[in-house]
Amino acid sequence: MNFYINGQKFTLGKTTLQDMIDAGVPFKDGELEDAKNNLKSKYQSAPFKVDIGKNFNCYIYVFNDSDSGRPANECYVNEVSFHGSYTKGETQNVLTFDFPLNVTIEDLKANAGDPTEKPYHNEDDPKFIADYLEWTKQGKKYMNRNRYRFEFYNYELRNVTITYFP
């Protein structure tokens, strides 16, 4: 479960927040003020925002799976969430994944198979059609699931969340 910021590869469950800081990831001003604060055992952090461009959002979460509290920057990244622009034609080139951010629903299904979770499709308002597709796998250590979640609005990918729990 990889993602890339400015071409630098990061892997959920392996990369720590400190690794990202050391790599020069462009966190938004003030986001790292709590990076050295204690994160309770078996807890996920609040989001750390990465600056990927106007009208785009990227949130990084870390997880402490140790038996005691530890500084958030020493914990591994377990979730990245991308929220795309709703303005036609806008792009960003800071955050990428192992799949293109212009993937279609059909291409996603062709490459990943049918979603493991029941897909959501809503056409009640023809001006706003929503599709959510999610592929999950049960973690081995915790009840939470690993997942890839894709949200399409009017058939264009807008949001992606990848989450890892051991």
Side-chain angles (χ1 to χ4, degrees):
M1 301 181 94
N2 303 312
F3 64 100
Y4 306 80
I5 296 181
N6 290 327
Q8 173 86 30
K9 180 180 177 180
F10 300 103
T11 304
L12 298 186
K14 294 181 181 177
T15 299
T16 66
L17 181 60
Q18 190 63 51
D19 293 335
M20 295 184 73
I21 294 167
D22 293 345
V25 168
F27 286 95
K28 289 199 176 206
D29 288 341
E31 283 300 306
L32 298 176
E33 290 176 1
D34 294 331
K36 292 186 180 182
N37 286 358
N38 185 61
L39 182 59
K40 289 182 182 180
S41 173
K42 315 296 187 273
Y43 270 75
Q44 183 181 42
S45 72
F48 293 93
K49 296 177 188 170
V50 178
D51 187 3
I52 61 170
K54 183 180 176 190
N55 299 327
F56 295 91
N57 291 299
C58 174
Y59 303 98
I60 302 293
Y61 299 81
V62 299
F63 183 69
N64 179 4
D65 70 350
S66 72
D67 291 329
S68 61
R70 65 193 311 186
N73 64 319
E74 295 177 10
C75 298
Y76 62 76
V77 176
N78 82 309
E79 182 171 302
V80 59
S81 184
F82 165 78
H83 301 271
S85 174
Y86 286 91
T87 304
K88 274 265 196 226
E90 281 193 322
T91 60
Q92 59 82 35
N93 61 1
V94 177
L95 175 68
T96 58
F97 294 93
D98 288 329
F99 47 85
L101 287 173
N102 63 352
V103 68
T104 65
I105 294 171
E106 294 78 21
D107 288 343
L108 193 56
K109 287 181 179 179
N111 287 301
D114 289 329
T116 54
E117 302 302 311
K118 183 179 177 192
Y120 172 83
H121 178 77
N122 179 12
E123 280 187 34
D124 293 342
D125 178 357
K127 294 178 186 171
F128 187 80
I129 299 169
D131 288 282
Y132 305 157
L133 294 92
E134 190 169 331
W135 285 261
T136 63
K137 183 178 179 183
Q138 185 64 46
K140 294 178 181 170
K141 187 174 179 181
Y142 297 102
M143 297 278 297
N144 296 12
R145 295 175 293 168
N146 300 307
R147 71 179 179 154
Y148 285 84
R149 180 180 171 94
F150 298 85
E151 297 178 18
F152 291 83
Y153 299 107
N154 296 331
Y155 304 104
E156 291 185 19
L157 182 62
R158 290 291 180 238
N159 303 324
V160 174
T161 302
I162 58 174
T163 308
Y164 168 79
F165 285 99

